[in-house]
Amino acid sequence: IFATGSALCALKASTPSGRGAVVAWGDVLQGGRTPQGLEGVRHVYSTRGGAFAAVKEDGEVVTWGSSVDGGDSSRVHELLKSRGIRDIYSTDSAFAAITFDGGLVSWGNARFGGVSPGTDDVARRGGVVQLCSSSCAFAARCADGSVLCWGIAEWGGDCRAITEDLKEVRCLYSSRQAFAARRVDGALFCWGDAGSGGNTEEVESQLMCDIAHVYSSGNAFAAISLDGQLVLWGNPKQTRLEAIESLHGKVLHIYATNNSFTAFTADGTGVAWGA
């Protein structure tokens, strides 16, 4: 089952003929009514603002719901049809798709990422290999290790201030309004809203190398270094952990909700913190 802000959509199990049907209910203006005859669906995606996007078995993308939030893909319909969609991501009001040839196709609210970087810019970087989204912006890791981002600038849509640092990037992560990029050398760099983890000044020296794992809640990040050090930054309500030193070198994995984290150690002990 998939959801927008005021509607739900269920993808039924495929029938013997291989056709996956979709059923939606809720606010019609936010996707509560599916296009007539929609079958053969492989996966469904949604925006919080009120739109659904369904990828069919034949590669066709069908959208419905709020037109300004991604429910109208007519502007890019031919691109979606001709280039083949590998995966789709969403912000609150826009969709972005990676094509099989490494290209980008976006639609929806332009301010929230509905208009992606130009084809030539993407091609010069070798195409997109990873796409990541916050609530208001997208970030794409390209084959040459560089990063492209677009959407609301102050909430992750502009990384130009640290362009020189975003080289040989291995993986991208996101909170609700910020992004983090981990390089091949283990250094971690962030941008976006400071209250969501976009500012690492207080922990910068701990993130300059050897970061092995990164986790995110709605407004904060947690990282574990190769030697087991635990690093937290972002919203103080989600990063306040008095016993952090007692966890250094012991944490095996971290799980996150929108407002909290829980770390598990080698002996099975769980330690939780956050709002």
Side-chain angles (χ1 to χ4, degrees):
I1 294 179
F2 311 89
T4 64
S6 299
L8 293 167
C9 173
L11 175 59
K12 293 184 176 181
S14 297
T15 64
S17 62
R19 295 188 173 186
V22 172
V23 178
W25 63 99
D27 189 334
V28 173
L29 297 178
Q30 293 204 7
R33 180 183 299 163
T34 57
Q36 189 174 3
L38 180 58
E39 292 183 331
V41 173
R42 185 174 75 240
H43 197 80
V44 177
Y45 306 86
S46 65
T47 63
R48 186 178 182 184
F52 291 105
V55 179
K56 300 176 65 174
E57 294 292 348
D58 61 4
E60 181 184 2
V61 177
V62 179
T63 58
W64 71 95
S66 171
S67 59
V68 298
D69 296 304
D72 181 2
S73 57
S74 57
R75 176 177 59 85
V76 295
H77 178 74
E78 289 305 316
L79 280 174
L80 293 171
K81 184 178 180 180
S82 62
R83 300 186 68 176
I85 301 305
R86 193 173 81 200
D87 208 350
I88 294 177
Y89 297 79
S90 66
T91 61
D92 282 355
S93 297
F95 292 104
I98 305 178
T99 62
F100 283 116
D101 60 1
L104 282 173
V105 182
S106 300
W107 68 96
N109 189 316
R111 189 164 180 262
F112 283 71
V115 178
S116 54
T119 302
D120 291 342
D121 196 9
V122 174
R124 278 197 303 270
R125 298 165 186 256
V128 173
V129 294
Q130 181 194 0
L131 192 56
C132 195
S133 65
S134 67
S135 63
C136 312
F138 294 102
R141 176 170 62 93
C142 298
D144 66 353
S146 64
V147 174
L148 288 169
C149 53
W150 65 101
I152 297 180
E154 59 269 32
W155 290 341
D158 186 352
C159 61
R160 287 175 295 178
I162 59 170
T163 297
E164 291 304 310
D165 296 317
L166 297 179
K167 296 178 179 179
E168 297 186 329
V169 172
R170 173 173 287 176
C171 196
L172 295 174
Y173 311 87
S174 67
S175 64
R176 183 147 180 78
Q177 294 175 346
F179 292 101
R182 180 167 59 90
R183 297 193 319 202
V184 172
D185 61 3
L188 194 78
F189 295 90
C190 298
W191 68 97
D193 179 58
S196 294
N199 187 328
T200 61
E201 287 183 359
E202 294 185 2
V203 295
E204 185 174 5
S205 62
Q206 299 171 266
L207 299 174
M208 293 311 295
C209 64
D210 297 335
I211 295 299
H213 304 285
V214 181
Y215 309 88
S216 64
S217 63
N219 294 293
F221 290 97
I224 303 174
S225 64
L226 288 174
D227 63 0
Q229 297 295 303
L230 177 61
V231 188
L232 307 173
W233 70 98
N235 187 316
K237 292 183 178 180
Q238 297 176 24
T239 57
R240 190 176 295 113
L241 178 61
E242 295 180 359
I244 186 170
E245 292 184 1
S246 68
L247 290 174
H248 288 329
K250 299 179 180 180
V251 176
L252 291 182
H253 196 80
I254 294 176
Y255 296 90
T257 67
N258 190 52
N259 298 308
S260 65
F261 294 96
T262 299
F264 286 93
T265 61
D267 64 2
T269 300
V271 178
W273 67 94

